[in-house]
Amino acid sequence: MHPAPSVIIFSTLSGAGFGLLAFLGLGLPVVTGWVAFGFYLIGFALAVGGLLSAVFHLQNPKNAWRSYSQWRSSWLSREMWAAIGALLAMGLYAFLQVFFATTIAPLGWLGAALSLATVFTTSMIYAQLKTVPRWNQLPVTPLMFLSCALAGGALLSANLAAAGVLLLTAGGVTVWYWVAGDGRFAEAGSTARTATGLGGAVSLWEKPHTGENYLTREMVFQIGRKHAVKLRAIALVLMVGLPLILILLPMSHVTAVIAVLSHLAGVLTQRWLFFAEAEHVVGLYYGAHGAKAAA
Amino acid sequence: MTSLPTTVQKKLGLVIDLDTCVGCHACVTACKGWNTQNYGAPLSDQDPYGKASGTFLNRIHAFQVQPDPTLAEHVPPRLAQTVHFPKSCLHCDDAPCVTVCPTGASYKRAEDGIVLVNEDACMGCGLCAWACPYGAREIDEEAGVMKKCTLCVDRIYNENLPEEDRKPACVRTCPAGARHFGDLSDPESDVSKLVAKRGGMDLMPEQGTAPVNKYLPPRPKDTIQAPELTGDEDILAPFLAPVAEEPQGLLAWVDRTLEKI
C-alpha cells in the first residue's frame, strides 16, 4: 500500500494525542490551571493536528461532514463519532480544570474511554480489510495501535513507571504484528490462480495499459523492501529502546522531550512500514506478489 | 444506507467468456466513451500526451498460462495459453466496498443488485477502493470522487434508446460476443444457462464477496500434437526438433548429388 504521509502522520500524532488525553481523563495526573493548559495544549494539538492531516488525504473534503452518517456499518464513520465525542468530552473536562480548577472525574473517564475508542476505531479501519491480509490480523492490529497510543500517552503525561511497562508492551506487540504478518498473505490464500480462476502456472502477460493508474499507485506500490529489517530495528530502537533508557536516567525537561520525539519518530517509522509492507490482493492482477502467487 | 440490502429482487450482471475474448479493448473504449458523457463526473485523463494515466471502469489484462503436469486436470498435457481477461465491477452480493463507506455514497440497489456511487455524497477517502479485491474502483483525479462500473444503469432502463441498445456499452460493442448481460438470479435466464453449461466461476472466492458477475473458463486447447510432458523438459524443445532427419525424394537426390561433387 502507498505510504501516504498524511495518513502516517495522522495515525502517529493523533494516536499519541489521544493517548495523552486518556491519561489526563483518568486523572493521571490531575492537573489544573497553567499546568493543565500546557498538557491539554499538547494533547489537543497532537490529536486535532493528526485529524487535520487526515483531511488532506480526502480528494473531496467538502463532503467530510457526511461521514457521520454511516456509523451502523462503517468503522471510518465510527471513528469520526469517537473522535468528536472524545474531543468534546475532554474539551469540557479540560475547560473546567484549566479555568475553574474543577475536576469532574466521571467526565474524564468518559473522555478517556472515547479517546481510546478513537484509536481502536482507527485501527479497525485497517484491520477489517480482508483485501490486505497483513492488516487483517485480529486482535494484534488493534492491540498495536492501542499499545502505541498508551505508551506515547504515558510518556507525554510523565507516568514513567507506566511508560516503561507500556513501551515494552508496544514493542512486543509490534514484533508480534510483524512476525505473524509475514505469513498472512500466504495464509489468506489469494493467488494469481484464484484471482483469475485459471489452472496451471498463471502469470501476467500484459498489463491493461502501459502506464501506471490509480490502482497501481495506491495499492500495488512496490517499495524496495530490502531495508525492511533495518527499518524494523530502527523503529524498535527509537520507539522503545531510547525512551526506555532515558526514563531510567534522572529526568529533566530536555531528556523528556528527547524521549517523546524519539518515541514519535519510532512510531512514524513503524507506521511507514505498516503501509509500505502491506500487500493488497489486487496486485495479483498486476503481476505483483509473484513469488507468493507461484507458491 | 451503506448496509447491504437483505434481499435483492434481481441480480443484474455480466458473464464474461474468457474463451471468446480476443483482447481488442473495444469494451474499454465503449465504456469510457459512454460513461465520460453520461452518468456522473466524466472519466478524466491526466497528462494524456505525456506520462498518461486516467480513470477506467473496465480494464483488460492478459495472462499466460503454462501447463502444470503435476495437476490432475492437466493430464493429458495441455498447451500453453494466453488468456485475455476483462475486469470491471462484479456487483458482489456481499460487497465490502459498500459497508466500509462512511458517507453513505456507496450503495447496492435492492431492486437489481447494482452497486453504485452517489458522487454528490462521496468525500474521496478511497477506503472502498481499498476494500475491493478486484480493483474495480478508481478515484477520478480531476473530480476527486470514486468512479466504478454502473452496469450502464443509464442505458439498460433508457426508453429513449432502441431496445437493442438497452444493455451495457461493453456488451453492446463486443465484436466477439464475449460479454453477456442479464439477470443471474433467474435460473432460466440466458446468462444463468450459459454459466451452468460452461462452468462459470467466481474470482477470488476466498475473499467471500459472492460476486454476481461470472467468468467462463477458456476451453483447453487441442491436444492432438502435444508431446508427452514429464515436467522436466523445456516445453518448446519438442516443437523445435527437425521433422525428418534424412531428406527423401528429389531433395535426397539433390543431397546425394551435391555430396559427390
Side-chain angles (χ1 to χ4, degrees):
Chain A
M1 303 296 286
H2 172 60
S6 57
V7 181
I8 294 174
I9 291 168
F10 153 68
S11 92
T12 303
L13 296 189
S14 73
F18 282 115
L20 172 57
L21 292 178
F23 274 94
L24 294 172
L26 291 173
L28 303 166
V30 175
V31 284
T32 53
W34 281 108
V35 179
F37 182 80
F39 270 120
Y40 286 114
L41 184 68
I42 295 169
F44 282 106
L46 289 172
V48 177
L51 289 172
L52 284 178
S53 165
V55 173
F56 288 112
H57 183 63
L58 304 180
Q59 300 251 359
N60 197 15
K62 73 175 163 47
N63 279 336
W65 63 273
R66 292 180 189 269
S67 60
Y68 287 99
S69 65
Q70 303 301 316
W71 51 272
R72 285 183 216 83
S73 54
S74 167
W75 281 105
L76 181 46
S77 184
R78 289 170 197 160
E79 181 200 36
M80 300 294 284
W81 279 106
I84 198 78
L87 292 177
L88 286 176
M90 288 309 295
L92 182 60
Y93 179 75
F95 179 78
L96 294 173
Q97 280 192 327
V98 170
F99 295 104
F100 298 98
T102 306
T103 300
I104 302 176
L107 182 62
W109 300 337
L110 176 70
L114 286 168
S115 297
L116 294 181
T118 308
V119 177
F120 174 71
T121 49
T122 303
S123 72
M124 283 307 292
I125 293 171
Y126 305 106
Q128 69 175 335
L129 294 174
K130 284 178 81 172
T131 49
V132 186
R134 190 186 284 273
W135 289 351
N136 185 224
Q137 294 190 73
L138 288 172
V140 63
T141 301
L143 283 180
M144 185 172 83
F145 277 67
L146 281 169
S147 61
C148 287
L150 285 170
L155 263 186
L156 284 163
S157 60
N159 285 293
L160 296 186
V165 175
L166 287 166
L167 283 170
L168 285 172
T169 309
V173 173
T174 300
V175 171
W176 177 16
Y177 170 84
W178 285 335
V179 172
D182 287 342
R184 276 294 295 145
F185 200 94
E187 257 173 59
S190 293
T191 62
R193 276 192 205 167
T194 70
T196 59
L198 301 171
V202 180
S203 56
L204 185 73
W205 180 48
E206 253 189 333
K207 282 170 43 165
H209 296 85
T210 49
E212 297 296 310
N213 64 40
Y214 169 75
L215 299 167
T216 58
R217 282 190 297 267
E218 183 82 1
M219 284 169 262
V220 196
F221 195 80
Q222 303 269 36
I223 305 198
R225 296 195 181 98
K226 59 181 176 176
H227 296 306
V229 175
K230 279 182 205 162
L231 284 168
R232 285 180 179 186
I234 290 170
L236 278 184
V237 168
L238 290 176
M239 187 175 89
V240 180
L242 195 56
L244 207 55
I245 293 168
L246 287 170
I247 60 175
L248 291 173
L249 297 173
M251 236 12 204
S252 73
H253 272 103
V254 177
T255 55
V257 167
I258 294 172
V260 166
L261 290 180
S262 164
H263 174 75
L264 289 180
V267 177
L268 271 178
T269 315
Q270 181 220 54
R271 294 296 149 86
W272 187 86
L273 283 167
F274 182 77
F275 284 88
E277 288 195 293
E279 298 132 322
H280 196 290
V281 293
V282 77
L284 295 168
Y285 292 108
Y286 285 90
H289 324 318
K292 293 186 182 73
Chain B
M1 200 179 188
T2 60
S3 296
L4 290 162
T6 46
T7 54
V8 288
Q9 290 165 21
K10 279 185 183 178
K11 292 183 186 180
L12 295 186
L14 301 178
V15 172
I16 294 170
D17 191 342
L18 298 179
D19 194 57
T20 318
C21 176
V22 295
C24 70
H25 290 234
C27 54
V28 177
T29 313
C31 169
K32 183 125 174 167
W34 177 265
N35 286 294
T36 218
Q37 295 172 37
N38 291 282
Y39 174 87
L43 303 173
S44 69
D45 288 318
Q46 281 70 46
D47 196 11
Y49 300 102
K51 210 176 166 193
S53 169
T55 314
F56 287 82
L57 312 183
N58 181 26
R59 292 180 185 267
I60 314 303
H61 302 236
F63 290 90
Q64 53 188 356
V65 183
Q66 297 283 349
D68 182 351
T70 62
L71 289 177
E73 69 264 30
H74 284 204
V75 178
R78 292 184 178 184
L79 296 176
Q81 282 183 295
T82 52
V83 180
H84 301 290
F85 199 93
K87 196 162 56 56
S88 52
C89 172
L90 307 176
H91 298 279
C92 302
D93 271 344
D94 199 354
C97 56
V98 169
T99 49
V100 298
C101 176
T103 65
S106 209
Y107 62 106
K108 184 173 175 73
R109 303 194 339 160
E111 62 266 40
D112 52 18
I114 300 179
V115 176
L116 288 176
V117 175
N118 172 8
E119 293 174 8
D120 293 337
C122 174
M123 67 176 186
C125 68
L127 188 55
C128 56
W130 287 7
C132 173
Y134 309 110
R137 288 172 168 250
E138 303 184 16
I139 282 188
D140 185 86
E141 307 224 335
E142 187 64 33
V145 294
M146 193 54 72
K147 301 295 294 186
K148 69 174 293 300
C149 162
T150 66
L151 214 59
C152 284
V153 69
D154 47 356
R155 288 176 68 96
I156 58 178
Y157 299 115
N158 191 338
E159 294 185 354
N160 295 318
L161 296 177
E163 193 160 350
E164 65 268 29
D165 284 338
R166 289 179 212 161
K167 48 177 77 169
C170 57
V171 175
R172 184 75 180 99
T173 205
C174 179
R179 303 177 72 99
H180 307 271
F181 166 70
D183 179 7
L184 285 141
S185 71
D186 172 10
E188 293 306 310
S189 67
D190 287 348
V191 283
S192 295
K193 287 182 192 161
L194 196 55
V195 169
K197 186 162 183 202
R198 293 278 308 281
M201 59 195 181
D202 291 346
L203 304 186
M204 286 196 202
E206 72 281 358
Q207 284 278 331
T209 53
V212 168
N213 285 13
K214 302 290 180 213
Y215 283 75
L216 306 180
R219 295 179 176 95
K221 275 192 184 173
D222 192 338
T223 55
I224 294 167
Q225 304 220 345
E228 289 290 324
L229 294 180
T230 60
D232 299 326
E233 63 276 88
D234 179 347
I235 291 165
L236 289 177
F239 297 101
L240 298 175
V243 176
E245 296 293 341
E246 293 296 323
Q248 290 170 343
L250 178 66
L251 275 178
W253 176 80
V254 172
D255 185 49
R256 281 197 306 274
T257 310
L258 288 172
E259 288 285 339
K260 284 175 190 164
I261 297 169

